[in-house]
Amino acid sequence: MSNSKTEKRLNERSRQVTEGVARAPNRSMYYAMGYKESDFGKPMVGVANGHSTVTPCNSGLQKLADAAIAALESSGAKAQVFGTPTISDGIGMGTEGMKYSLVSREVIADSIEVCVNGLWQDGVVVIGGCDKNMPGGMMALARTNVPGIYVYGGTIMPGHYKGKELNIVSAFEAVGEFTAGRLSEEDLKGVEQHACPGSGSCGGMYTANTMSSSFEALGMSLPYSSTMANEDQEKVESAAQSARVLVEAIKKNIRPRDVITKKSIENAVSVIMAVGGSTNAVLHFLAIASAAEIDWTIDDFERIRKRVPVIADMKPSGTFLATDLHQAGGIPQIMKILLDGGLLHGDCLTITGETVAEVLKDVPAKPRNDQRVIRPLSNPIYPHGHLAILKGNISPEGCVAKITGLKNPSITGPARVFDSEDDAMAAILAQKIKAGDVVIIRYEGPKGGPGMREMLAPTSALVGQGLGESVGLITDGRFSGGTWGMVVGHVAPEAFVGGTIALIQEGDSVTIDANQLLIQLNVPEEEIAKRRAAWKQPKSRYTRGLLAKYARLASSASLGAVTDLDLK
């Protein structure tokens, strides 16, 4: 690609800092940070560092930032480091604080945009770990469209207790087992203390690892980088190599929107389906496509699901963790299988300057025989993808169900209605939910929550009580990537704006049928219309501050729950 745009940008920066009344203060500010005269002709590259000590997902990021900074400087660029915030979903889960999780995606995107555009940086290395770091960073890369690369912080190692391998979801499910009398208090504490042994993001194919895997498939992260463990040295080396690759991308003027295209999003979503990824990926790729101004809808996920099988046996509904997938060949092995099966676009550009096909040319065509994580297309775990888009009178805009791991992906039962996650959790822990019930958790959507809390605590408690297969759960909130069971989230329109989910009454017959892609309130239309006429919107739970702003700006979940639609 021509580098004329980059040269023009550098020349314009040089002109602005060497001419006119702004010259002295501009140059003085740089000199104060140790710059030399010769540095002003170098690319100024941002390092969006998500390091923090509020979560193990991000506590191991500083070493990656340090490696990236050193590599940038040795490659002829100047590193400009700034911080991005994070919220720990695992720590916030089940609390009021969880309402800030999805909101943090927008805050992260905004903060990176502020620094990259406000300082007119020539490129950016985005480094993140916890769930919303990934989509927030990618949205910012798509918005600013300066050369950029994503560096995932890496997955956590598995924990161990009494010979059993653990991860963060083990702790949530242990709560349900304890309340059902199936686990002692001593063992509950043992699981709690050993589930997370060190730094890194949650270990299954939960949201963080789903998004990192999809970014590798998208072409915005380096091969093999998405499944590395944070504590391993190869993760540090990958961060350094990412910075070097970015400097070359700046020279070649390879920009995010050259890489993020409709075809590359199809590649990313195909990999998400193949590895059994998180329901949150639907919400986040709607948001990323929106930021990149790509025509992509919720129905596109169903289109991809129908043609891509699940070929990786990953938790939460499967057996293995991201570290196991890495040892089995990682995302490149998944991609090569899909590419040879005609399920990927091999001509998509990657940030390396190579096409997907070129990146994968040396990857074996078949998975190794000494591993059980990855299967060939001829022997899939499921013949179709696992993230089904359901529609019906409860959700005419579409909602998301994870249908893998279920013996019978359909249920019709009486509605058990709750206007918040907290009320539903109290009923579950009091063992008031029985097999055959369909739990409705509403007013937890983008506007109504606000913030679309994840329902990992209720779903894990149901699984722990042995009700994962026999109880349905429908919400206008979200689910953790660690959730499995007969669950449906992202119901749109949400309750707060008068969606049908707001009109369901205790005991109503409700159907979830993944085979027919149906979610239905089995009540006559005349009765639904009568209830709709009587419904009144509740007062907003927040009237000032960040959550109030998000509630006013957030779009429907079917559009990604983004905050910058129709702001012209």
Side-chain angles (χ1 to χ4, degrees), residues 93 169 172 421 454-461 478-480 482-483:
M93 199 72 68
V169 176
F172 283 94
E421 176 191 4
E454 291 181 347
M455 305 296 149
L456 180 59
T459 58
S460 296
R478 298 181 295 128
F479 294 114
S480 163
T483 294

Side-chain angles (χ1 to χ4, degrees), residues 11-70:
N11 290 337
E12 179 66 11
R13 176 194 296 282
S14 179
R15 184 193 67 77
Q16 288 198 349
V17 298
T18 56
E19 296 178 5
V21 295
R23 180 186 64 187
N26 279 342
R27 292 172 69 92
S28 294
M29 298 291 277
Y30 284 111
Y31 284 133
M33 295 183 288
Y35 280 61
K36 298 177 182 179
E37 185 77 24
S38 59
D39 290 332
F40 294 110
K42 297 177 180 178
M44 303 293 190
V45 180
V47 179
N49 183 7
H51 172 79
S52 72
T53 57
V54 302
T55 171
C57 306
N58 291 53
S59 63
L61 298 188
Q62 188 58 50
K63 62 186 179 183
L64 307 186
D66 292 341
I69 292 163

Side-chain angles (χ1 to χ4, degrees), residues 268-317:
V269 173
S270 294
V271 167
I272 290 166
M273 296 296 178
V275 300
S278 167
T279 54
N280 282 314
V282 174
L283 197 73
H284 297 329
F285 265 96
L286 286 167
I288 292 165
S290 176
E293 299 181 273
I294 292 169
D295 180 20
W296 184 266
T297 73
I298 194 169
D299 295 322
D300 286 310
F301 293 93
E302 184 60 30
R303 174 173 59 84
I304 300 297
R305 184 190 75 83
K306 289 178 178 177
R307 65 185 182 90
V308 178
V310 179
I311 59 172
D313 185 13
M314 303 294 294
K315 287 183 179 294
S317 59

Side-chain angles (χ1 to χ4, degrees), residues 22 36 50 71 84 123 126 156 164 240 279 318 326 345 378 384 389 394 423 434 468 511 548:
K36 298 177 182 179
T84 63
V126 182
I156 197 171
K164 184 179 180 181
T279 54
H326 190 62
H345 301 289
S378 59
H384 304 290
I389 304 303
I394 293 179
D423 291 346
K434 307 300 180 184
T511 294

Side-chain angles (χ1 to χ4, degrees), residues 402-415:
K402 184 186 285 189
I403 61 175
T404 50
L406 296 173
K407 296 174 184 176
N408 181 17
S410 64
I411 185 173
T412 294

Side-chain angles (χ1 to χ4, degrees), residues 379-444:
N379 183 32
I381 299 165
Y382 301 99
H384 304 290
H386 64 301
L387 299 180
I389 304 303
L390 276 55
K391 292 187 177 182
N393 63 4
I394 293 179
S395 186
E397 292 179 16
C399 52
V400 187
K402 184 186 285 189
I403 61 175
T404 50
L406 296 173
K407 296 174 184 176
N408 181 17
S410 64
I411 185 173
T412 294
R416 304 298 309 280
V417 181
F418 304 95
D419 286 347
S420 72
E421 176 191 4
D422 311 87
D423 291 346
M425 189 63 181
I428 293 167
L429 292 180
Q431 297 184 279
K432 294 181 179 180
I433 304 302
K434 307 300 180 184
D437 288 345
V438 179
V439 176
I440 309 294
I441 304 178
R442 62 193 183 190
Y443 295 104
E444 291 286 4

